[in-house]
Amino acid sequence: MIKLATLTFNPFGENTYILFDETKKCVIVDAGCYTEQERQVLGAFIAKNGLEPTWALNTHGHADHICGVEFVKRQWGVPFALHGNDRPILEMAHCYADMGFDVEAVPEVECDLAEVKTIAFGNSELQIIHTPGHTPGHVAIYAPEAELLLTGDLLFKESIGRTDLPGGDYSSLMDSIIERVIPLGSDTRIFPGHGSHSTVAHEVMFNPFIVEVLRGDVNYNAKGGTVHEN
């Protein structure tokens, strides 16, 4: 059975996730450790639990989610997996330096998640679900047996990801949520890139962005834009 640990890093309060199973093999998702102290925290967790990282896996390419990837690759010699549509986003990481957030290095991508449907580690397998909207290559990472979904910056507890950044698109984001996340089932636990965890059932009931669509107050339309019904 897959287990999950959360470490929150960097000035953006980004959630880095470690997924592992009984084999002690693990996947590090959205490595956001920014400072040397944060890198030591990640390393200490891996060592304390006797884990063996096999992948650096990302939901998307924004700087706060990739700033620790180069460290992970160097420390444990693992490949980096990212959807190819987010390569331009990844290459913009240095733009955050103007905000006082300087990424050490832009990591090289060894695995294009546009070309794979699953990532395996130990006795476990993760499904890769393309969920564009926050970024063009954004993915959600789903562990069916554990009923958990890492939603990155697509979906938060009672909120949604920004769509005003380069590559963002509200209609695509809502389509990803309505058509690809909600059908996973009410009991699916949601672990977002920032903030606390939730469930699909909770979001269907209390997330105002989802409620207004399901209720018919807003008709999101990838081709025609967003229509607010009167």
Side-chain angles (χ1 to χ4, degrees):
M1 174 64 74
I2 290 178
K3 296 182 180 180
L4 178 145
T6 309
L7 299 174
T8 302
F9 292 136
N10 72 53
F12 294 91
E14 184 270 348
N15 292 330
T16 294
Y17 293 105
I18 301 97
L19 296 167
F20 57 100
D21 65 14
E22 65 277 3
T23 69
K24 297 296 185 177
K25 299 289 179 65
C26 74
V27 173
I28 300 173
V29 179
D30 288 351
C33 45
Y34 180 59
T35 65
E36 181 60 32
Q37 181 180 13
E38 290 178 346
R39 293 166 187 164
Q40 290 177 6
V41 168
L42 176 58
F45 179 89
I46 297 295
K48 179 180 179 181
N49 290 277
L51 301 180
E52 179 185 348
T54 59
W55 286 96
L57 176 60
N58 265 58
T59 59
H60 64 294
H62 280 151
D64 54 325
H65 290 254
I66 63 95
C67 58
V69 170
E70 189 63 30
F71 163 75
V72 170
K73 292 181 64 175
R74 184 173 64 246
Q75 185 75 11
W76 292 289
V78 299
F80 175 40
L82 179 78
H83 194 287
N85 288 358
D86 258 23
R87 287 181 187 269
I89 303 295
L90 182 67
E91 293 167 1
M92 293 174 60
H94 289 310
C95 295
Y96 280 65
D98 294 337
M99 302 167 58
F101 188 81
D102 193 12
V103 176
E104 174 192 14
V106 175
E108 181 181 353
V109 178
E110 286 85 13
C111 176
D112 185 346
L113 294 178
E115 300 175 355
V116 301
K117 295 183 178 180
T118 60
I119 290 288
F121 69 99
N123 294 328
S124 303
E125 189 172 80
L126 303 171
Q127 294 181 11
I128 305 301
I129 305 172
H130 186 207
T131 53
H134 181 63
T135 65
H138 194 289
V139 301
I141 300 165
Y142 182 46
E145 292 184 6
E147 291 187 301
L148 67 85
L149 182 73
L150 307 186
T151 57
D153 287 3
L154 171 76
L155 176 63
F156 305 121
K157 184 175 183 179
E158 299 180 15
S159 189
I160 59 174
R162 292 178 62 173
T163 57
D164 59 335
L165 299 172
D169 182 77
Y170 166 81
S171 294
S172 296
L173 182 138
M174 292 309 302
D175 184 73
S176 292
I177 293 172
I178 301 299
E179 300 297 332
R180 306 180 194 187
V181 172
I182 290 178
L184 296 177
S186 298
D187 293 335
T188 299
R189 295 175 293 158
I190 292 170
F191 294 87
H194 305 267
S196 59
H197 64 273
S198 184
T199 64
V200 167
H202 182 91
E203 297 312 301
V204 168
M205 289 291 294
F206 299 109
N207 189 312
F209 298 94
I210 295 175
V211 169
E212 67 182 1
V213 168
L214 295 180
R215 196 168 53 197
D217 296 337
V218 169
N219 176 25
Y220 72 92
N221 184 322
K223 294 182 179 180
T226 304
V227 178
H228 292 265
E229 304 289 354
N230 293 321

